[in-house]
Amino acid sequence: MKKLYEAFCKAELAICGVGFILLVVLVFASAIFRFLRISMSWNIDLAMLLLAWTSFLGADIAWRSGQLIGIDLVTRYFPKKVQKAVMLALYAIILCVTVVICVFGVRLAWAERLRTYQSMPIPYSLVSLSLVVATFSMSIATVGKIRDCIRHFNDAAVHTEGK
């Protein structure tokens, strides 16, 4: 199961990287074509689709690798066990939020399954599915962070991120 999750994480990283490169190329090409007065409306629609996928998958990658900003201005002065208890409570809240977003994202994707882009025959629910995939993956990563936090609760150092 761990190897499958690692393969998923690598695939997610590759998809995010390729999507970002395609996003930049599409926006740049769209600007050039607009300058040349050539209409390519599908370019912007595809760029918006790629923006949704790369931003949500990028947020998941940042969350999993511990690269999101954290504010510990107050909690850094707490005892280590209190810091870990606060971190565990925050992870539990984050898990609840990601599960709720994932559930409602599935409902939104289902509701938008028949709606298509104006310039492409692609269902608009693909944008909503980016949110579902990212929050589902964030939920899995958060469960791992909770497990690590519980496992290392009595350690002397604060285990901030699952690395």
Side-chain angles (χ1 to χ4, degrees):
M1 188 66 146
K2 188 174 181 178
K3 293 211 182 243
L4 181 66
Y5 183 66
E6 288 174 2
F8 173 78
C9 293
K10 286 181 182 179
E12 186 180 46
L13 188 62
I15 290 169
C16 191
V18 169
F20 183 72
I21 290 169
L22 285 175
L23 173 65
V24 170
V25 168
L26 282 173
V27 170
F28 185 70
S30 178
I32 290 173
F33 288 134
R34 190 176 297 129
F35 178 75
L36 298 174
R37 300 187 191 275
I38 299 172
S39 176
M40 295 189 68
S41 60
W42 62 269
N43 228 359
I44 296 300
D45 287 342
L46 188 57
M48 287 190 323
L49 176 69
L50 288 171
L51 177 66
W53 277 94
T54 56
S55 60
F56 287 128
L57 292 180
D60 176 44
I61 292 166
W63 171 244
R64 190 174 46 247
S65 63
Q67 295 179 355
L68 287 179
I69 190 167
I71 301 173
D72 63 347
L73 190 61
V74 176
T75 58
R76 76 172 81 160
Y77 299 111
F78 290 169
K80 298 299 180 194
K81 285 197 176 194
V82 174
Q83 288 180 18
K84 290 181 182 182
V86 168
M87 191 179 323
L88 194 57
L90 289 175
Y91 286 158
I93 291 169
I94 290 169
L95 179 62
C96 291
V97 169
T98 56
V99 167
V100 167
I101 292 172
C102 187
V103 168
F104 282 99
V106 167
R107 292 175 65 184
L108 179 63
W110 180 255
E112 292 184 338
R113 71 190 185 281
L114 300 176
R115 179 180 169 203
T116 60
Y117 281 97
Q118 291 178 353
S119 61
M120 299 182 298
I122 296 174
Y124 199 76
S125 61
L126 285 179
V127 173
S128 303
L129 284 176
S130 67
L131 180 66
V132 172
V133 170
T135 55
F136 181 75
S137 184
M138 283 180 182
S139 298
I140 293 171
T142 305
V143 167
K145 289 175 183 278
I146 290 171
R147 185 193 68 227
D148 290 344
C149 191
I150 290 171
R151 186 178 293 160
H152 300 292
F153 195 79
N154 291 324
D155 293 352
V158 176
H159 185 72
T160 56
E161 298 298 331
K163 294 179 181 164

